[in-house]
């Protein structure tokens, strides 16, 4: 039995029970939920995030080679670079030829295949000079089996009944097939302190602006609260992203994954789910999450691409329509993965070299237009900084979804058509008729309180209010 892990699992479960109590779903005697984060870093208000896979980004697979792409990513409109794990990868029980980025052998070092710490620091400094922030993928749940801690501090790990160190554990307390990693025991206070020290080093010495926390659900909430408090003392505008979609995570994290949204959109794009299900999802999400929660929406990431398929496989011709929603829905914190702007249409190998081709970047203008719109229009800003959403009533297609977002003078109209045929959407009740500008073509459009929107098959229209047609927005 993995008894040493049970207390930590219970601690994580308690955080979810606390949330239920706050929502009236648990007994009155249950402890109050930790309050959600009150404020996010100012720089995250209109930020979009880009996941960087150093190994596959260039033929060299190095920090130096990636550095040359920074100006292009800046021009694309990227605000935050999420760097997948950069540390040395374990050799013991390694998967594939190069191993998993998430089997870390030394937290405070760089993978020599990628380059030196000085070369990485040059990348971070260059990104900062361009106005971008950089966060590191942090793997707190487990290490490789040949991490120094397994010998120096074996008591920092979860053990099987026979005394051997356990592989990573799933949500049900059972060992996973992640045989290349060893489960850490968060009941050990010394290990917790050491983990926070390792995270602090990346902030103080390397200039990281925050962390994307891998398997955040597998680590007790009280650790994340402890880590956040400690790290904020070092950097007051630290940013934390949780690989989890439980509302309780927002007590410690600025942003969480929109996994449920993602899976729903796969179904809608494939025609397996009705578009109307979006309404139920958004209503449930708004009720369950803090008003200022940043919910990361995406059409791909490293897990989806390698294990579930590309956006072209999962969403087909609707992949752009889905991304439009990922950029414009309430609370949307938008993610783009390595190679999407280059039309990456294959599953990247996870444990071996598999370089992205940057020859065709025909999708880059599409993503750039949405990122520029998000930065320009307050209605589309992240979390509570964004504007209210109002469904745009109309007829003309069960596969059409249309709405507006409004914050002050910023008004955006969005309509997407998931059908295989063009649609003419006859809308009514547009609260702000007048001059609009197409986010993709720049064309001026005049909209009445009622009218029609012509939508191509698998197409979309995104219009921003433009009261003065003689002045560019």
């Amino acid at each position: 039995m993995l008894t040493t892990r049970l207390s930590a699992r219970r601690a994580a479960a308690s955080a979810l029970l606390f949330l239920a109590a706050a929502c009236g779903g648990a007994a009155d005697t249950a402890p109050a939920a930790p309050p959600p984060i009150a404020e996010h870093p100012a720089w995250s208000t209109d930020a979009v995030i880009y996941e960087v896979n150093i190994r596959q980004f260039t033929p060299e697979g190095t920090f130096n080679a990636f550095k040359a792409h920074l100006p292009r990513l800046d021009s694309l409109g990227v605000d935050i670079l999420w760097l997948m794990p950069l540390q040395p990868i374990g050799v013991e029980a390694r998967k594939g030829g190069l191993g998993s980025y998430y089997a870390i052998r030394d937290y405070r070092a760089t993978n020599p295949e990628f380059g030196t710490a000085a070369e990485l620091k040059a990348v971070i400094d260059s990104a900062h000079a361009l106005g971008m922030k950089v966060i590191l993928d942090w793997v707190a749940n487990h290490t490789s089996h040949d991490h120094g801690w397994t010998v120096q501090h074996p008591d920092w790990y979860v053990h099987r009944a026979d005394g051997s160190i356990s592989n990573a554990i799933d949500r049900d307390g059972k060992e996973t097939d992640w045989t290349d990693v060893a489960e850490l025991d968060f009941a050990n206070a010394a290990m917790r302190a050491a983990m926070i020290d390792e995270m602090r080093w990346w902030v103080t010495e390397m200039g990281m602006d925050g962390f994307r926390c891998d398997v955040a659900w597998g680590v007790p909430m009280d650790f994340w609260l402890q880590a956040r408090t400690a790290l904020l003392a070092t950097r007051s505008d630290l940013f934390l992203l949780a690989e989890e979609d439980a509302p309780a995570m927002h007590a410690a994290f600025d942003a969480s994954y929109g996994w449920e949204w993602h899976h729903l959109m796969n179904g809608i794009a494939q025609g397996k789910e009705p578009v109307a299900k979006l309404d139920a999802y958004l209503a449930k999400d708004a009720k369950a999450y803090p008003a200022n929660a940043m919910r990361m929406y995406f059409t791909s990431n490293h897990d989806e691409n390698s294990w579930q398929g590309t956006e072209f496989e999962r969403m087909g011709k609707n992949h752009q329509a889905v991304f439009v929603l990922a950029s414009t829905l309430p609370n949307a914190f938008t993610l783009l993965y390595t190679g999407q702007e280059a039309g990456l249409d294959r599953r990247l190998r996870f444990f071996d070299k598999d370089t992205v081709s940057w020859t065709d970047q025909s999708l880059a203008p599409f993503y750039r237009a949405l990122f520029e719109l998000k930065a320009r229009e307050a209605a589309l800003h992240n979390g509570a900084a964004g504007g209210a959403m109002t469904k745009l009533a109309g007829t003309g297609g069960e596969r059409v979804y249309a709405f507006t977002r409004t914050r002050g003078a910023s008004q955006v109209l969005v309509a997407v058509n998931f059908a295989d045929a063009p649609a003419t959407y006859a809308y009514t009740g547009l609260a702000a008729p007048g001059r609009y500008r197409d986010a993709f073509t720049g064309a001026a459009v005049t909209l009445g309180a009622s009218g029609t929107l012509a939508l191509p098959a698998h197409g979309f229209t995104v219009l921003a209010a433009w009261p003065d047609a003689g002045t560019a927005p």
Side-chain angles (χ1 to χ4, degrees), residues 199-216:
M199 297 176 78
R200 185 184 291 110
W201 183 87
W202 283 93
V203 175
T204 60
E205 303 304 315
M206 298 300 290
M208 287 293 174
D209 300 292
F211 299 95
R212 175 267 186 186
C213 297
D214 183 63
V215 194

Side-chain angles (χ1 to χ4, degrees), residues 55 85 87-95 98-107 111 139 142-147 178-182 214 350-351:
R55 175 187 290 168
Q87 296 99 327
I89 293 170
V91 176
E92 183 179 340
R94 172 177 286 190
K95 293 194 173 188
L98 298 177
S100 169
Y101 320 85
Y102 296 86
I104 292 175
R105 195 170 75 238
D106 182 351
Y107 282 115
N111 186 337
V139 189
H142 48 259
T143 71
S144 70
H145 283 284
D146 50 1
H147 190 290
W178 303 353
T179 53
D180 55 341
V181 291
D214 183 63
F350 203 80
F351 307 119

Side-chain angles (χ1 to χ4, degrees), residues 156-421:
W156 289 6
Y157 291 84
V158 174
H159 291 260
R160 305 183 182 99
D162 64 4
S164 60
I165 293 176
S166 169
N167 297 331
I169 297 169
D170 65 18
R171 293 177 188 263
D172 297 321
K174 299 177 181 178
E175 287 195 56
T176 67
D177 62 356
W178 303 353
T179 53
D180 55 341
V181 291
E183 184 86 351
L184 286 162
D185 183 5
F186 278 85
N188 190 298
M191 187 280 290
R192 286 178 173 233
M195 182 67 70
I196 292 172
D197 281 344
E198 301 286 44
M199 297 176 78
R200 185 184 291 110
W201 183 87
W202 283 93
V203 175
T204 60
E205 303 304 315
M206 298 300 290
M208 287 293 174
D209 300 292
F211 299 95
R212 175 267 186 186
C213 297
D214 183 63
V215 194
W217 53 265
V219 175
M221 173 58 75
D222 61 354
F223 170 78
W224 292 127
L225 292 167
Q226 178 187 0
R228 181 178 181 86
T229 299
L231 295 171
L232 283 175
T234 299
R235 177 174 183 143
S236 61
D237 63 344
L238 187 85
F239 184 86
L240 295 179
L241 163 64
E243 188 200 12
E244 172 60 305
D245 59 0
M249 302 306 288
H250 286 273
F253 292 89
D254 298 279
S256 59
Y257 270 50
W259 278 123
E260 184 179 354
W261 180 86
H262 178 73
H263 296 145
L264 173 61
M265 295 313 303
N266 280 335
I268 290 175
Q270 295 166 18
K272 296 178 180 178
E273 297 284 1
V275 174
K277 272 200 171 183
L278 263 174
D279 291 332
Y281 167 82
L282 292 171
K284 182 175 72 171
D285 203 74
K287 182 178 180 180
Y289 289 82
N292 70 344
M294 295 170 62
R295 306 281 285 124
M296 192 172 77
Y297 292 159
F298 48 87
T299 56
S300 189
N301 60 38
H302 68 273
D303 282 317
E304 292 300 291
N305 171 273
S306 291
W307 308 118
Q308 305 303 323
T310 70
E311 62 269 34
F312 303 100
E313 291 179 74
R314 291 177 286 100
M315 299 172 177
K317 294 179 180 179
N318 280 320
H319 72 95
Q320 287 178 278
V322 175
F323 199 90
V324 166
L325 295 185
S327 302
T328 58
L329 285 173
N331 298 87
F333 174 49
T334 313
L335 168 71
L336 193 68
Y337 177 51
T338 290
Q340 283 194 266
E341 71 271 38
L344 176 64
D345 60 356
R346 71 177 193 282
R347 304 184 185 197
L348 294 176
R349 293 192 292 272
F350 203 80
F351 307 119
D352 296 283
K353 186 75 174 112
D354 193 7
T355 306
V356 171
S357 170
W358 299 102
T359 302
D360 177 10
Q361 294 192 41
S362 57
L363 284 173
F366 164 75
Y367 293 115
R368 182 181 296 111
L370 286 170
F371 296 164
E372 289 178 348
L373 183 72
K374 191 177 188 71
R376 186 170 66 242
E377 296 294 336
L380 301 182
H381 286 180
N382 297 326
M389 172 183 164
T390 302
K391 281 292 296 295
L392 186 61
T395 59
E398 294 182 354
R399 302 283 289 160
V400 172
Y401 197 79
F403 60 94
T404 60
R405 298 282 308 280
T406 304
R407 186 176 181 89
S410 175
Q411 301 169 54
V412 178
L413 181 153
V414 179
V416 295
N417 176 24
F418 292 103
D420 294 330

Side-chain angles (χ1 to χ4, degrees), residues 23-104:
C23 295
D28 292 341
T29 56
I37 293 169
E39 295 183 1
H40 304 299
W43 53 261
S44 68
T45 297
D46 59 358
V48 297
I49 184 169
Y50 186 100
E51 183 182 5
V52 179
N53 187 329
I54 291 289
R55 175 187 290 168
Q56 317 298 19
F57 214 93
T58 63
E60 300 86 349
T62 63
F63 300 136
N64 282 341
F66 168 69
K67 183 180 173 185
H69 285 259
L70 290 176
R72 178 181 65 78
L73 293 173
D74 178 49
S75 69
L76 189 64
V78 171
D79 300 294
I80 304 172
L81 298 174
W82 151 19
L83 304 182
M84 290 175 66
L86 307 169
Q87 296 99 327
I89 293 170
V91 176
E92 183 179 340
R94 172 177 286 190
K95 293 194 173 188
L98 298 177
S100 169
Y101 320 85
Y102 296 86
I104 292 175

